Amino acid sequence: MKKRNVGVLLPVFSLPGNHGIGDFSHYAFAFIDWLKNHKYHYWQILPLNPIGPANSPYITVCSEAFDIRYISLDKLVEQGLLDKAPKHHAEVGRVDYQDVLAFKEKYLRRAYKNSKISLKKFIKENPWVNEYAKYLVLKSINDNKPWNEWIIKKIPSFAEDEINFHIWCQFIALNQWNDIKKYANKNGVKIIADCPFYVGLDSVDCYLNKD
């Protein structure tokens, strides 16, 4: 009898975590070890894009970006970009997305200030990231309203560092995810990705392609 390949559907946000949400920390690697030990060959995930209305991963503000909530602060500590990242406990079985974002962003900004990484190559290989970063800046200075309600449509000159911060977050998220993917494949586990069903109106995709 031919043995079937089997797997597990587990969203990254459902992994254990030290900071209010499952993320790209050592728990992801431990889950891959568990899959391997139990002879599972597939790990299916939900979209990793920035969440949209009602915290849905299927309606995103950018079809190509990572949600920065998935960045592991523990990994940044290991890299020496943070001195520490205190645990941030969430309610059992529930993710408070706004609370997690506020908590993590505080430490991500500290890590960004300590980082000496050149982003030129990353920007060249990912031309979408610059437009996404600009979109986030414009959205912020317009009180987080959707682009069709913006009053301020020109990025101020002082916002360059803020743009670089958002680009840096995408660079870090991609590298952390690639480490997980490589580890999975090395251990005989294939990751089945998922994509958002819809691109929301309040998105950089629609903003740049209004037609």
Side-chain angles (χ1 to χ4, degrees):
M1 182 177 177
K2 186 177 179 181
K3 184 177 180 180
R4 294 183 300 170
N5 286 332
V6 293
V8 175
L9 167 60
L10 181 75
V12 172
F13 59 73
S14 292
L15 288 166
N18 292 329
H19 303 110
I21 190 172
D23 55 27
F24 298 156
S25 70
H26 67 276
Y27 291 109
F29 294 86
F31 179 61
I32 292 168
D33 291 338
W34 183 90
L35 290 170
K36 179 182 178 181
N37 293 336
H38 288 79
K39 303 188 186 314
Y40 290 105
H41 303 287
Y42 296 97
W43 175 13
Q44 184 174 354
I45 60 173
L46 298 189
L48 299 172
N49 308 85
I51 56 173
N55 300 327
S56 171
Y58 288 101
I59 302 179
T60 181
V61 296
C62 180
S63 62
E64 297 185 84
F66 283 93
D67 194 316
I68 64 172
R69 294 173 180 85
Y70 293 126
I71 295 175
S72 169
L73 299 183
D74 293 332
K75 291 290 182 181
L76 296 181
V77 173
E78 291 174 11
Q79 287 180 259
L81 295 178
L82 290 174
D83 292 331
K84 61 180 180 178
K87 289 188 176 183
H88 185 68
H89 296 290
E91 182 181 333
V92 175
R94 181 176 180 272
V95 175
D96 186 331
Y97 284 93
Q98 296 310 310
D99 180 62
V100 168
L101 181 61
F103 175 82
K104 282 202 169 185
E105 188 172 318
K106 177 175 62 177
Y107 288 95
L108 288 173
R109 289 185 181 278
R110 292 182 189 178
Y112 166 67
K113 293 297 183 183
N114 293 327
S115 177
K116 305 299 180 183
I117 298 170
S118 173
L119 298 170
K120 290 182 179 179
K121 182 180 178 182
F122 177 68
I123 295 171
K124 184 177 181 180
E125 294 176 347
N126 299 274
W128 59 269
V129 75
N130 199 41
E131 294 302 327
Y132 176 57
K134 291 178 180 177
Y135 181 84
L136 292 181
V137 169
L138 284 172
K139 187 173 174 63
S140 176
I141 61 180
N142 281 281
D143 298 321
N144 288 313
K145 294 179 180 178
W147 59 265
N148 56 320
E149 297 179 19
W150 288 354
I151 296 175
I152 303 172
K153 300 181 180 181
K154 185 176 180 180
I155 296 176
S157 58
F158 60 79
E160 183 178 352
D161 191 60
E162 185 70 5
I163 291 171
N164 285 333
F165 166 71
H166 290 299
I167 294 173
W168 176 86
C169 285
Q170 291 303 310
F171 173 83
I172 294 296
L174 177 62
N175 278 274
Q176 288 191 358
W177 174 246
N178 280 341
D179 287 344
I180 291 171
K181 187 174 181 295
K182 289 176 184 176
Y183 186 78
N185 295 160
K186 180 181 176 182
N187 285 277
V189 175
K190 294 182 179 180
I191 296 176
I192 302 174
D194 202 348
C195 297
F197 292 157
Y198 308 103
V199 174
L201 172 65
D202 183 14
S203 68
V204 65
D205 305 87
C206 285
Y207 177 64
L208 296 177
N209 301 278
K210 299 180 180 65
D211 56 326

